[in-house]
Amino acid sequence: MEGDWNMQVSAKNPGAANLMAHLCSELQITRTINNMVTWDEKQWKVSPGTLITALIINSLVERQPLYNVQHFYEDMDMPLLFEEDIQAKDLNDDALGRALDRLAGIDCRQLLGTVACQAARIEDMDISSVHADTTSFSVYGDYDTKAIAEADKNKHIEIVRGFSKDHQPHLKQLKFGLMVTNEGFPIVGDVTSGNQSDNVWNQKILDEFHMSFLETWDVAYVADSALITEENVRLMAAKKVRFISRLPGRFNLEQELIDRAWKEGKWRFCGPMAEGKKAATYWTQLFQVEFAGRIYRFIVVRSSNLDKTKEKTLQRLLDKEKATLEKHIKTLSKEEFQCIPDAEARLKAILKDHAMLHALSGQVVENVSVKRKPGRPPKNKPEPLLETITYGIEWTIQPPTEQELEDWRQRETAFVLITSVSEALYDDYDVLKEYKKQINVEVRFRFLKDPMFVNAIYLKTPKRIEALGYVILLAVMIASQLELRIRNALDREKSTISAGSRKKVQRPTARLLLNMLNSIIVVYLDYDGHVERHFPHDINPEVLRVLELAGYDRRIYTDNPYKKPQ
């Protein structure tokens, strides 16, 4: 019949891709990369910035090895993702590899800093403190760094064995370093050789700290105990970097301060640092002590919680102590003394040196022995006997009281913080609370190493692996921006979101948000070449709400933002 439409219906599953593309556009990643790398616009069908952006989106939605990325985009609505007019076949592994080579030729840390500065401006971040740490990332395969020219080797990372935080020392690895805000947004990132120590990394970051957009006199630098070497502390003093860290046990000062705190007992109750019935409570005690040539504030902290490994350690310690004491007193019990003062002196000396959980007590006892007198006994008379009196010590082992065990547990939970931040800005409670936020950088590492996000790295040259490492860090930055934006929006609304059968969530993680967004399906209605895009009527309303909280709506999945008007 004339005028009838020939309609075809199909569907695509873009998931989070469209929203990720818009967040990349907000941070101007494509433009920034194109401005930083060396490339000839006439020689490139697709710009390096667009190719790297395609890798970022793919990493966040359904990470594939380079040779499968184009297949991922065959199921995507390309005009809605990229400003350039490209097709999936343009995102082949050769093109992506060349883009990684060009990316490896620039200062990628500067790239991350530029993008982070843009994000800080958009999200109006309050950067009063930053948290830094490193993690190892194990790789499989043979990476022959000897085949790399020395000039190139010095320029790029080495895939080698090192201290493995993945507990896989048999594998070669690279390392990621991150500095995040107290809300968990990455502002400095680094990809380094697999054998670089955390001490060296901290020193390198401190050298570059003043070159970032951070104003060091307004920011507290927070890191774990690897930061604290006398050299690093002097470097921070020279650069006027205010810091908060943990005093490592390799310094005798740590145990000295803990012992002093227990002796003085001037604890200040700080309460819990988190919500929940099982949240640990904390006490602190302040000391001013010289270290690395200057006076610093040291805060001894003890907690109400003891982890299960410490309980096992306690039981092993008790068993070992008891066995050692039983063997020792077996020898001591054989000792004899000619007078009571000698026995008492020995008892006093042993007890003075005793420093165990098991109590040791003893009492001097009289030992009477009767022996036959030396020589030939007289005939027809009773054998003459000689009575000898000596003194010994009778020892008793007493198990520790419950109070003594609790004191041990408390001491084992104790640790020492060191800071150069003035007490007027951060009191003891604030310093401890800020240090506990170190978990934010660890959370980013968990996301980075999530097998759903980063699986095996299918590259063979350290140069491309290093470049891909920075692509991964850019993807972590995009995911963190999404998380931060949604959380801030929920805080303003004082509301929550529902995630399936889970309870209401007020502070959703990036992984949870991406999982929700990846459920998005778009229905395509093709009327003789006229295509309309629609969401299915049964789409989860919470997914639409996530889009709105992120500052967008369904139109980023249905309308082409780059389409030129007719």
Side-chain angles (χ1 to χ4, degrees), residues 21-174:
H22 278 74
L23 292 178
C24 288
S25 179
E26 278 191 56
L27 298 186
Q28 301 180 14
I29 291 177
T30 298
R31 182 183 304 177
T32 302
I33 292 173
N34 286 339
N35 288 338
M36 293 183 69
V37 304
T38 302
W39 67 294
D40 186 347
E41 193 170 345
K42 296 179 181 179
Q43 301 294 322
W44 289 67
K45 185 175 182 180
V46 182
S47 71
T50 295
L51 291 167
I52 297 302
T53 301
L55 282 175
I56 294 171
I57 296 170
N58 173 247
S59 294
L60 291 165
V61 180
E62 185 185 333
R63 182 161 187 267
Q64 300 287 338
L66 252 61
Y67 57 80
N68 273 341
V69 171
Q70 76 175 76
H71 300 306
F72 165 80
Y73 280 103
E74 286 171 358
D75 295 326
M76 292 291 144
D77 200 336
M78 301 293 282
L80 272 62
L81 298 179
F82 304 105
E83 186 172 357
E84 295 181 42
D85 183 14
I86 62 175
Q87 300 177 28
K89 64 181 181 181
D90 299 325
L91 303 176
N92 56 71
D93 56 342
D94 288 336
L96 295 170
R98 286 194 299 272
L100 288 174
D101 289 340
R102 296 305 170 93
L103 190 66
I106 67 172
D107 185 348
C108 290
R109 286 168 294 191
Q110 182 182 350
L111 168 63
L112 289 177
T114 302
V115 175
C117 184
Q118 176 77 351
R121 181 187 62 80
I122 292 173
E123 304 301 334
D124 191 24
M125 297 182 195
D126 176 22
I127 307 176
S128 57
S129 64
V130 292
H131 298 254
D133 202 357
T134 67
T135 191
S136 57
F137 187 89
S138 301
V139 295
Y140 296 83
D142 183 21
Y143 299 87
D144 187 7
T145 55
K146 293 181 180 179
I148 304 170
E150 282 301 316
D152 195 48
K153 183 177 177 181
N154 292 334
K155 185 178 179 181
H156 297 289
I157 66 171
E158 293 184 77
I159 311 299
V160 293
R161 291 182 179 88
F163 177 73
S164 175
K165 297 184 180 182
D166 296 329
H167 306 292
Q168 299 190 79
H170 60 289
L171 295 177
K172 293 183 178 180
Q173 64 183 25
L174 64 151

Side-chain angles (χ1 to χ4, degrees), residues 7 14 34 82 86 114 132 135 138 148 154 160 192 237-238 312 348 350 372 377 400-401 418 476-477 484 550 558:
M7 184 178 72
N34 286 339
F82 304 105
I86 62 175
T114 302
T135 191
S138 301
I148 304 170
N154 292 334
V160 293
T192 64
K312 293 178 181 178
K348 185 177 180 181
I350 294 292
R372 183 178 63 83
T401 65
I418 173 176
V476 172
M477 191 176 290
L484 177 62
T558 60

Side-chain angles (χ1 to χ4, degrees), residues 12 17 39 62 129 135 149 157 199 208 261 268 282 346 360 369 398 457 523 535 554:
K12 292 181 183 293
W39 67 294
E62 185 185 333
S129 64
T135 191
I157 66 171
N199 290 342
E208 299 175 356
R268 173 193 172 192
Y282 295 89
R346 176 61 168 163
L360 185 63
S369 61
Q398 298 173 339
I457 293 181
V523 177
F535 276 180
R554 66 179 68 198

Side-chain angles (χ1 to χ4, degrees), residues 216-421:
T216 58
W217 52 88
D218 287 332
V219 178
Y221 181 77
V222 187
D224 66 12
S225 60
L227 171 68
I228 303 303
T229 65
E230 292 195 20
E231 182 180 5
N232 284 350
V233 171
R234 290 191 182 98
L235 179 63
M236 287 186 287
K239 293 182 178 295
K240 299 182 179 178
V241 175
R242 299 180 307 165
F243 69 91
I244 297 172
S245 186
R246 179 170 175 168
L247 182 66
R250 63 178 177 271
F251 291 103
N252 293 333
L253 179 60
E254 185 209 36
Q255 192 59 50
E256 291 172 9
L257 290 173
I258 291 175
D259 292 342
R260 183 176 166 187
W262 246 262
K263 183 178 180 180
E264 297 186 11
K266 299 176 181 178
W267 297 101
R268 173 193 172 192
F269 179 70
C270 291
M273 295 284 156
E275 297 180 357
K277 295 180 180 179
K278 296 183 179 180
T281 50
Y282 295 89
W283 293 260
T284 62
Q285 200 166 156
L286 173 65
F287 299 97
Q288 302 277 354
V289 179
E290 182 180 347
F291 183 81
R294 296 185 63 180
I295 300 295
Y296 288 97
R297 185 157 51 120
F298 291 87
I299 302 169
V300 180
V301 182
R302 67 181 177 92
S303 165
S304 62
N305 279 4
L306 182 68
D307 60 51
K308 293 180 180 178
T309 59
K310 292 294 185 183
E311 285 289 357
K312 293 178 181 178
T313 301
L314 173 59
Q315 190 56 53
R316 286 196 299 269
L317 175 63
L318 293 174
D319 294 342
K320 185 177 180 180
E321 271 192 10
K322 187 177 180 182
T324 300
L325 283 174
E326 287 175 345
K327 183 178 180 180
H328 190 42
I329 64 175
K330 189 175 182 180
T331 301
L332 292 175
S333 297
K334 297 178 181 178
E335 295 181 343
E336 292 185 345
F337 305 91
Q338 298 304 312
C339 63
I340 293 178
D342 287 349
E344 289 179 338
R346 176 61 168 163
L347 172 61
K348 185 177 180 181
I350 294 292
L351 295 181
K352 181 181 179 181
D353 293 337
H354 179 74
M356 292 184 176
L357 287 173
H358 285 84
L360 185 63
S361 60
Q363 61 178 1
V364 176
V365 295
E366 183 181 273
N367 299 320
V368 179
S369 61
V370 178
K371 298 181 180 179
R372 183 178 63 83
K373 284 186 177 182
R376 180 178 296 177
K379 293 181 178 180
N380 304 320
K381 289 185 179 181
E383 184 177 4
L385 299 176
L386 178 65
E387 185 178 80
T388 304
I389 299 177
T390 60
Y391 300 91
I393 303 174
E394 189 177 85
W395 298 96
T396 304
I397 301 173
Q398 298 173 339
T401 65
E402 190 55 43
Q403 183 58 51
E404 289 170 334
L405 292 176
E406 184 59 28
D407 288 343
W408 183 92
R409 294 185 181 100
Q410 289 290 322
R411 287 177 71 94
E412 284 297 303
T413 66
F415 57 94
V416 181
L417 298 178
I418 173 176
T419 181
S420 62
V421 181

